[in-house]
Amino acid sequence: MDRKGILIVVSGYSGVGKGTLMKALTARYDNYALSISATTRKPREGELDGREYFFKTKEEFEELIAKDRLVEYANYCGNYYGTPRDYVEEQLGQGRDVILEIEQQGALKVREKMPDVLLLFVMPPDAQTLVQRLRGRETESEEVIRERLAQAVEESKYVDRYDYMIVNEDLDRAVEELHRLIGSQHNKISRNLDFTKQIQQELMALV
Ligand code: 5GP
């Protein structure tokens, strides 16, 4: 049966709780590899280089682009964000399911390059909850919050390009739903053609 690693993209509006969801998922299950992105955004308080992100200068980031070291990259609210290629390829090669927590432009670029990717979108239970979570974070100015809400409106126009949504109302349930969705991807017939063929041949040998 399918043991090849799956590439999964998780997107969602800023403040929807993707980071918390990813942390909870990887704490509960050890078959996931979470890719660490490179960015030119300044670290927030408590963020560490190499843990949340690889923090880069604009020049360093543009060198990664020039050397084709990124699976995808995008400009989001004035900063570059991108997925380093080596880690993703290495982990998929080892059969692990690799999760990219990235925004929409990047997600859609990954789909173009790798049509097999599973695109998931995390939704808030309602818009007010999203605003409250963004304000509650207290790491962003009101101006940045407004910018991110405007960005959310833009992103809402392309949600139909994703495969599944996960509503993040209850963290525990959202984690289970995410895990189940990814698990069912392993059972796709198209990912198990060798296995189904083998059963067919065994059956044919019996008649
Ligand atoms: P934040 O600044 O809040 O950490 O992230 C801003 C947005 O950038 C989020 O939607 C996050 O998912 C996205 N992001 C993080 N890493 C990457 C990446 O490597 N590529 C792309 N395209 N988006 C990313």
Side-chain angles (χ1 to χ4, degrees):
M1 274 178 280
D2 177 44
R3 289 273 47 98
K4 288 193 288 282
I6 293 179
L7 185 61
I8 303 125
V9 162
V10 177
S11 302
Y13 307 127
S14 183
V16 79
K18 300 178 297 270
T20 314
L21 190 57
M22 293 305 106
K23 274 195 196 120
L25 179 79
T26 47
R28 194 172 301 175
Y29 300 103
D30 59 12
N31 57 311
Y32 297 113
L34 199 54
S35 162
I36 300 171
S37 297
T39 185
T40 57
R41 162 165 88 55
K42 297 274 166 295
R44 291 191 190 120
E45 215 177 295
E47 286 185 334
L48 274 185
D49 187 40
R51 191 179 67 186
E52 277 79 14
Y53 284 104
F54 295 107
F55 294 102
K56 304 282 180 196
T57 63
K58 189 162 172 275
E59 291 68 32
E60 285 168 340
F61 198 99
E62 285 173 349
E63 196 177 324
L64 293 176
I65 300 172
K67 292 191 169 154
D68 198 26
R69 308 302 321 147
L70 303 173
V71 176
E72 60 71 42
Y73 69 93
N75 201 303
Y76 178 90
C77 294
N79 286 302
Y80 279 131
Y81 293 83
T83 306
R85 181 184 298 286
D86 289 354
Y87 179 78
V88 171
E89 289 182 350
E90 183 189 293
Q91 295 294 316
L92 283 176
Q94 287 174 20
R96 299 189 79 198
D97 292 340
V98 180
I99 303 183
L100 315 181
E101 188 221 305
I102 65 178
E103 56 64 71
Q104 205 167 58
Q105 306 162 59
L108 300 180
K109 274 190 245 165
V110 176
R111 160 115 321 148
E112 275 173 31
K113 283 196 202 165
M114 306 169 187
D116 262 4
V117 65
L118 179 64
L119 295 186
L120 307 178
F121 201 92
V122 185
M123 284 281 175
D126 55 68
Q128 264 313 317
T129 307
L130 187 71
V131 179
Q132 278 161 15
R133 284 184 192 164
L134 269 174
R135 294 228 162 87
R137 220 189 232 178
E138 286 178 357
T139 49
E140 255 95 38
S141 64
E142 198 53 36
E143 189 195 334
V144 170
I145 291 173
R146 266 201 299 277
E147 191 184 11
R148 294 199 163 206
L149 283 176
Q151 186 72 33
V153 172
E154 260 326 288
E155 292 189 6
S156 69
K157 298 175 187 167
Y158 300 95
V159 169
D160 60 358
R161 312 271 176 95
Y162 285 75
D163 298 312
Y164 297 97
M165 64 163 191
I166 292 117
V167 178
N168 187 17
E169 183 160 24
D170 175 84
L171 179 65
D172 222 46
R173 280 201 8 219
V175 167
E176 283 315 303
E177 222 166 281
L178 191 56
H179 182 62
R180 205 164 34 77
L181 275 170
I182 299 169
S184 63
Q185 196 69 1
H186 279 286
N187 287 12
K188 280 188 90 166
I189 294 288
S190 58
R191 293 185 65 91
N192 289 281
L193 291 177
D194 288 349
F195 178 74
T196 53
K197 191 111 206 140
Q198 182 196 326
I199 300 287
Q200 182 190 38
Q201 278 165 0
E202 285 173 16
L203 283 170
M204 282 159 73
L206 292 176
V207 292

